[in-house]
């Protein structure tokens, strides 16, 4: 998962979940470059940032998510929200959940992390699709992307966990590998 799309490291005064104020050329040249490489190398998912770009929340930014990421960059995986990311579209957070669902899914987020109020999410999304507010094409696009990733991972061919490998999780060999990955990534 490539994250956090996009401009996360350029917020005003470096404040988390803040606003990245920069023109489009600067955003592409500075903040979008790592995504070009990740997409070429076949990244399966991209997580949207809590930040805003010039005042527009990334979770509601259809230009950057749908037009740039999915169309221009030809990203074929799925776009996932951050934890309660659509809740933060409104200020204060969760003040208009109906609007947040509409704006987030409408912007091109394919999978939404909804840890608590999932029944509200399901009800709002269902109502909006049935009412034509969110198109069935948008839902079909999300499902195609999610299923494409799951099929490419072999989740349907091998849906169950191999319990014989359980003792390896957290083993010295795994911890050593994780340490090596951290060293190389730093």
């Amino acid at each position: 998962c490539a994250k956090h799309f996009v401009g996360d490291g350029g917020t005003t005064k470096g404040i988390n979940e803040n606003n990245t104020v920069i023109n489009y050329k600067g955003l592409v040249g500075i903040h979008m470059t790592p995504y070009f490489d990740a997409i070429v190398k076949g990244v399966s998912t991209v997580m949207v940032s809590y930040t805003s770009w010039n005042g527009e929340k990334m979770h509601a930014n259809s230009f950057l998510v749908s037009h740039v990421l999915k169309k221009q960059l030809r990203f074929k995986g799925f776009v996932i929200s951050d934890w309660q990311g659509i809740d933060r579209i409104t200020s204060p957070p969760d003040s208009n959940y109906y609007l947040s669902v509409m704006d987030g899914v409408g912007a091109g987020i394919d999978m939404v992390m909804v840890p608590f109020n999932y029944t509200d999410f399901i009800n709002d999304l269902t109502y909006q699709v049935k009412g034509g507010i969110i198109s069935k094409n948008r839902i079909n696009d999300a499902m195609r992307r999610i299923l494409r990733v799951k099929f490419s991972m072999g989740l349907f061919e091998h849906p169950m966990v191999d319990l014989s490998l359980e003792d390896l999780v957290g083993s010295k060999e795994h911890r050593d590998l994780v340490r090596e990955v951290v060293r190389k990534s730093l």
Side-chain angles (χ1 to χ4, degrees):
C1 182
K3 55 185 181 177
H4 293 99
F5 188 82
V6 61
D8 203 45
T11 59
T12 303
K13 297 183 181 181
I15 298 170
N16 190 33
E17 299 184 32
N18 206 358
N19 191 26
T20 300
V21 179
I22 193 169
N23 64 27
Y24 179 70
K25 185 177 178 181
L27 185 74
V28 170
I30 295 170
H31 300 286
M32 213 172 285
T33 305
Y35 296 94
F36 302 151
D37 193 42
I39 291 166
V40 167
K41 291 183 178 181
V43 69
S44 296
T45 63
V46 171
M47 181 180 287
V48 178
S49 175
Y50 288 134
T51 61
S52 301
W53 174 52
N54 296 331
E56 184 177 357
K57 293 285 190 180
M58 283 304 307
H59 277 78
N61 194 315
S62 61
F63 171 71
L64 291 176
V65 175
S66 287
H67 182 73
V68 175
L69 180 62
K70 291 181 174 181
K71 289 184 182 139
Q72 286 184 349
L73 300 182
R74 298 184 180 141
F75 173 61
K76 299 299 179 201
F78 67 84
V79 177
I80 187 166
S81 76
D82 208 329
W83 179 264
Q84 291 184 297
I86 66 165
D87 300 56
R88 291 171 163 89
I89 290 173
T90 56
S91 183
D94 200 26
S95 61
N96 188 340
Y97 198 68
Y98 182 90
L99 177 67
S100 295
V101 171
M102 183 179 72
D103 286 352
V105 174
I109 295 174
D110 301 308
M111 182 180 283
V112 181
M113 280 200 268
V114 183
F116 305 114
N117 56 339
Y118 57 89
T119 54
D120 291 341
F121 176 80
I122 291 168
N123 291 337
D124 285 350
L125 182 60
T126 301
Y127 180 84
Q128 291 176 21
V129 172
K130 284 182 177 179
I133 296 164
I134 294 176
S135 73
K136 290 181 182 176
N137 287 340
R138 169 80 273 278
I139 300 303
N140 289 338
D141 174 62
M143 295 312 304
R144 267 192 301 276
R145 289 169 177 279
I146 292 165
L147 289 172
R148 183 183 299 123
V149 169
K150 288 184 174 191
F151 273 110
S152 71
M153 293 174 65
L155 289 180
F156 296 105
E157 290 80 15
H158 308 286
M160 304 305 290
V161 174
D162 183 351
L163 294 177
S164 70
L165 301 173
E166 187 176 21
D167 290 338
L168 291 175
V169 177
S171 68
K172 181 181 181 329
E173 179 184 357
H174 277 196
R175 288 192 311 275
D176 290 345
L177 178 61
V178 169
R179 285 184 186 102
E180 179 185 346
V181 169
V182 170
R183 277 193 303 275
K184 286 181 178 179
S185 69
L186 289 175

